Amino acid sequence: MTGTVDPTVFNLIVFVLAIFVGYHVIWNVTPALHTPLMSVTNAISSVIIVGAVLAAGPAETDFGSALGAVAVGLAAINVAGGFLVTQRMLEMFKRKQPKAGKE
Amino acid sequence: MSANLVVLWYLVASVCFILALKGLSHPESARRGNYFGMAGMAIAIVTTLAIVAKGRVDIILMAMAIGGTIGAFVARRVQMTQMPELVAAMHSLVGMAAVLIAIAVVNNPASFGIPDPLPTGNKLELFIGTFVGAITFSGSVIAFGKLAGLGKHFRPFSSAPVVFKGQHILNLLLALVMIGFGVAFFMADGKAWTAFAVMTAIAFVLGVLIIIPIGGADMPVVISMLNSYSGWAAAGIGFSLNNPMLIIAGSLVGSSGAILSYIMCRAMNRAFISVILGGFGAAEGSAAAGAEQKTVRSGSADDAAFLMSNAESVIIVPGYGLAVARAQHAVKEMAEKLIHKGVNVRYAIHPVAGRMPGHMNVLLAEAEVPYDQVFEMEDINSEFGTTDVVLVLGANDVVNPLAHEKGSPIYGMPILEVAKSRTVLVNKRSMAVGYAGLDNPLFYMDKTMMVFGDAKKVVENIVKGLE
């Protein structure tokens, strides 16, 4: 094999493997926690804030970086809201006696 | 920070996200998992800030502070019954952020370290990220309106399916036109703003059109589907920015939403494609005819209290009607009284109880029902045969034995086998049919006693009867 591999090919590799990991991890989630799963995946998908920070980053502000700043704000709502509401829900799941059951 | 170091930090953050999801396999490990998720996000954000350290970090931090404050406020205030609305609203934000970032990329690719003009490959990925983001945004806005019950104010928000002639053809045509402009966008040499703008606008319209024909009963599927879309949108943007962080996190979320959609469809015995095409719940209203001829046995809350206190085992089947009546706390009190009398009390949850996956579990947890008394359908269905009394609270279709009869519209849908128990108590406000528009033979069985009334009042009266 000669030459360099196009970044898109690497992206594709990462993409496919990540889907496999996601598939296997998600099937192990207990159905009782599907709502927290949804709110936490919501928070995780707001990692798009990374793209927003890059867009808002340049020292010279223009139309694009202004939109980037707005996107940072929108995604930040999700980051904070998603993780905190998940935390709030998970705090509610308690078992009866601290000793009942083993795991 | 060198590019290699950045990507390595992104790897650490990705592992944290995977651990966050892995933690959700059990309520005890889930809390720790959530901290991993927060840590992963913090790492991803700080790493990215380091890349733009020489730029407008001040503006970015300000935007984060504003957004973060709003998010924290909402997270604290939201009611658990409103979780579906909150989740829909949050999906729309991810979709919108994806579109805004895409516009910024077209405007100035160099600031993202991408060659200007954009290479064709990046344009293709950008096109996908943008239209998925736009559909996620407008679709989630409609889903939010439907869930929040805003149909009175604005017809597309109606929880009844909004259907019109030629809807599918129109959607198909719009999709083709959108793809056409997408092709024009990535074939063009320059920035091709016009093609990009038209394509994005059509995607916004499509998002609305895709969601309006879907009825209220199918909302659990819709939320899961939009959850999936928001992940794919993030992954699409990740492709165009060559950013592995976005690709990994986006794919995790995308596959999570897809699996949840599948689980919800299976629980309702609906083909995914027919949910997407919509219209369920509108056509099948006629099946309830003849309900008056049959007799039902009805009893009072005191009768119910008597039956349950003399039982050895009781299974409570909560439906969304219970949450609407805000009766969870009363139910928990009733269960405690029964347990105190030595009755074995358990809860049976159907996967589509509530308006989003796992919703009923959260509502019970909020009422401080211990999760080890709460069982999923597969785990408890075999137990009904040895149970003395089943109390059905505000559930209907998920306990309808018609699901076993060939030719019935819900044939094949997995149900809770409450009819196998010795006595069935059913609390409903009236004999009205459920989402599927079907009569329920369970109500006319000899072993069934109906307790009519508002769930909260009835349960409170049962509590009084137990004293």
Side-chain angles (χ1 to χ4, degrees):
Chain A
M1 205 165 68
T2 54
T4 50
V5 179
D6 191 273
T8 306
V9 177
F10 275 119
N11 290 342
L12 198 63
I13 293 169
V14 171
F15 179 65
V16 172
L17 293 181
I19 290 175
F20 269 95
V21 172
Y23 181 86
H24 288 283
V25 173
I26 303 299
W27 272 117
N28 273 330
V29 173
T30 168
L33 294 179
H34 275 162
T35 296
L37 168 66
M38 222 169 231
S39 61
V40 85
T41 50
N42 221 313
I44 291 176
S45 66
S46 56
V47 74
I48 200 157
I49 198 170
V50 163
V53 166
L54 293 174
E60 283 172 38
T61 47
D62 65 353
F63 164 66
S65 67
L67 291 185
V70 175
V72 169
L74 294 180
I77 296 179
N78 244 359
V79 171
F83 282 117
L84 291 178
V85 86
T86 307
Q87 193 68 21
R88 212 182 119 197
M89 276 191 277
L90 293 175
E91 297 294 345
M92 293 173 182
F93 280 85
K94 297 207 174 78
R95 72 173 76 171
K96 178 109 181 117
Q97 305 93 344
K99 276 166 66 195
K102 35 182 183 353
E103 168 46 13
Chain B
M1 208 185 295
S2 78
N4 285 338
L5 198 56
V6 167
V7 175
L8 286 174
W9 276 116
Y10 283 162
L11 175 65
V12 175
S14 304
V15 171
C16 286
F17 288 153
I18 293 167
L19 290 174
L21 297 175
K22 198 165 152 41
L24 287 167
S25 58
H26 192 275
E28 293 304 314
S29 55
R31 283 182 274 266
R32 193 179 52 222
N34 199 39
Y35 290 122
F36 272 115
M38 292 180 190
M41 186 60 72
I43 292 170
I45 291 175
V46 172
T47 306
T48 315
L49 281 174
I51 302 175
V52 295
K54 293 200 180 75
R56 300 304 305 266
V57 178
D58 50 344
I59 295 182
I60 295 170
L61 289 180
M62 209 167 69
M64 277 184 193
I66 295 171
T69 311
I70 298 172
F73 180 77
V74 173
R76 195 173 291 271
R77 296 296 294 271
V78 69
Q79 304 267 331
M80 286 302 130
T81 42
Q82 295 170 327
M83 275 312 295
E85 287 102 302
L86 176 72
V87 168
M90 296 205 301
H91 290 151
S92 74
L93 297 179
V94 175
M96 196 63 203
V99 174
L100 293 177
I101 295 165
I103 297 173
V105 175
V106 178
N107 182 56
N108 183 9
S111 66
F112 294 88
I114 305 171
D116 188 2
L118 276 169
T120 316
N122 291 65
K123 278 186 179 171
L124 173 64
E125 295 148 4
L126 201 59
F127 161 61
I128 296 171
T130 311
F131 89 73
V132 177
I135 289 177
T136 308
F137 172 74
S138 54
S140 298
V141 169
I142 298 294
F144 171 82
K146 281 176 182 263
L147 287 163
L150 299 176
K152 290 189 288 290
H153 310 294
F154 188 48
R155 179 141 147 76
F157 286 162
S158 165
S159 67
V162 179
V163 284
F164 53 86
K165 226 175 159 205
Q167 198 162 21
H168 300 324
I169 306 282
L170 177 68
N171 288 355
L172 185 67
L173 281 177
L174 279 176
L176 289 176
V177 173
M178 182 185 75
I179 293 171
F181 277 99
V183 172
F185 168 66
F186 63 77
M187 298 301 274
D189 293 328
K191 291 194 188 301
W193 274 116
T194 318
F196 183 79
V198 174
M199 169 198 101
T200 312
I202 294 177
F204 278 125
V205 175
L206 260 181
V208 174
L209 290 175
I210 289 173
I211 306 299
I212 53 171
I214 303 180
D218 285 333
M219 286 326 276
V221 181
V222 172
I223 307 192
S224 314
M225 189 180 84
L226 290 168
N227 185 237
S228 185
Y229 286 3
S230 70
W232 301 132
I237 297 294
F239 265 93
S240 43
L241 301 183
N242 290 330
N243 187 312
M245 183 75 255
L246 290 185
I247 297 176
I248 295 172
S251 316
L252 291 174
V253 176
S255 46
S256 164
I259 290 173
L260 287 175
S261 312
Y262 169 77
I263 293 175
M264 288 298 109
C265 283
R266 195 180 54 180
M268 294 195 287
N269 193 33
R270 306 260 285 127
F272 186 67
I273 189 73
S274 67
V275 172
I276 301 309
L277 295 179
F280 187 59
E284 298 154 353
S286 59
E292 284 94 70
Q293 285 95 318
K294 288 181 268 184
T295 52
V296 297
R297 191 159 66 99
S298 74
S300 68
D302 281 338
D303 299 336
F306 177 77
L307 281 167
M308 284 195 287
S309 56
N310 286 313
E312 254 173 54
S313 54
V314 170
I315 296 180
I316 299 169
V317 178
Y320 193 65
L322 175 86
V324 172
R326 301 190 181 282
Q328 304 96 297
H329 286 90
V331 171
K332 190 241 177 184
E333 208 188 327
M334 177 185 77
E336 281 199 335
K337 285 236 155 50
L338 287 169
I339 291 168
H340 192 68
K341 287 176 187 285
V343 182
N344 177 16
V345 180
R346 285 170 293 182
Y347 298 80
I349 309 275
H350 191 277
V352 293
R355 289 191 303 174
M356 68 188 287
H359 195 191
M360 190 53 66
N361 300 77
V362 173
L363 294 172
L364 290 178
E366 190 193 16
E368 296 174 9
V369 172
Y371 65 78
D372 40 10
Q373 289 173 7
V374 182
F375 293 86
E376 303 303 323
M377 182 172 66
E378 295 107 78
D379 299 328
I380 203 164
N381 250 348
S382 57
E383 303 283 320
F384 283 107
T386 55
T387 300
D388 297 323
V389 179
V390 172
L391 175 64
V392 180
L393 292 165
N396 189 348
D397 295 332
V398 298
V399 293
N400 194 336
L402 276 182
H404 295 310
E405 279 177 35
K406 280 211 173 93
S408 112
I410 57 167
Y411 173 67
M413 174 172 147
I415 57 164
L416 290 160
E417 305 289 353
V418 298
K420 288 187 178 150
S421 63
R422 238 153 270 153
T423 307
V424 183
L425 302 173
V426 180
N427 164 247
K428 272 172 71 61
R429 274 184 303 186
S430 66
M431 287 301 287
V433 295
Y435 272 128
L438 289 172
D439 200 9
N440 192 337
L442 176 75
F443 302 158
Y444 308 106
M445 287 180 175
D446 289 338
K447 63 169 76 165
T448 304
M449 186 176 92
M450 304 295 291
V451 187
F452 291 108
D454 172 74
K456 192 174 177 190
K457 289 222 178 69
V458 167
V459 175
E460 280 169 354
N461 286 337
I462 294 178
V463 172
K464 275 187 207 139
L466 287 173
E467 277 162 3

